[in-house]
């Protein structure tokens, strides 16, 4: 959270920064979720945690709310986001990383 706050100040932006478990957030109460899900669980590479986080974000978001995800391109999060949200757009990326956006409709 310290890094997020520093970047906001650096760019003269204001936004509340809260680190909360999505399970503790009332359904339909959030406008924006920023997410960089882990893809290692012990020694295994898996997207199970990401899938859980994507579903939690969908529940927490209001209609029109957005989930932004930063991840390694090879993980193919866009496929899971399309399944979960019915949409996904690529906001930015390079050969290794991608920033994705899904909107709750």
């Amino acid at each position: 959270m310290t890094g997020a706050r520093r970047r906001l100040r650096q760019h003269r932006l204001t936004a509340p920064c809260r680190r909360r478990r999505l399970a503790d957030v009332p359904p339909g109460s959030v406008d924006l979720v920023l997410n960089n899900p882990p893809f290692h669980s012990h020694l295994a590479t898996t997207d199970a945690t990401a899938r859980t986080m994507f579903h939690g974000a969908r529940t927490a978001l209001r209609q029109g709310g957005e989930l932004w995800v930063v991840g390694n391109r090879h993980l193919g999060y866009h496929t899971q986001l399309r399944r979960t949200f019915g949409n996904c757009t690529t906001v930015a990326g390079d050969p290794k990383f991608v920033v994705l956006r899904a909107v709750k409709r």
Side-chain angles (χ1 to χ4, degrees):
M1 297 310 302
T2 302
R5 288 184 181 102
R6 184 178 27 225
R7 293 270 187 234
L8 287 168
R9 281 193 308 273
Q10 177 184 8
H11 296 286
R12 294 185 178 98
L13 299 171
T14 58
C17 291
R18 296 184 187 102
R19 182 178 180 177
R20 296 180 70 178
R21 292 174 357 116
L22 287 175
D24 298 334
V25 174
S29 66
V30 176
D31 293 313
L32 176 67
V33 174
L34 305 175
N35 188 295
N36 182 355
F39 62 95
H40 291 284
S41 179
H42 304 286
L43 299 177
T45 299
T46 176
D47 68 348
T49 301
R51 285 193 318 266
T52 300
M53 294 173 110
F54 298 163
H55 285 282
R58 188 175 193 296
T59 300
L61 287 167
R62 291 183 177 101
Q63 290 295 111
E66 300 180 4
L67 169 63
W68 286 55
V69 177
V70 177
N72 293 70
R73 184 178 291 279
H74 74 276
L75 296 172
Y77 287 151
H78 63 284
T79 302
Q80 184 61 41
L81 289 170
R82 284 190 187 114
R83 283 188 197 126
T84 305
F85 285 84
N87 67 87
C88 176
T89 57
T90 301
V91 177
D94 63 23
K96 188 172 180 179
F97 299 103
V98 66
V99 178
L100 304 169
R101 176 180 164 261
V103 179
K104 182 175 180 179
R105 297 195 171 123

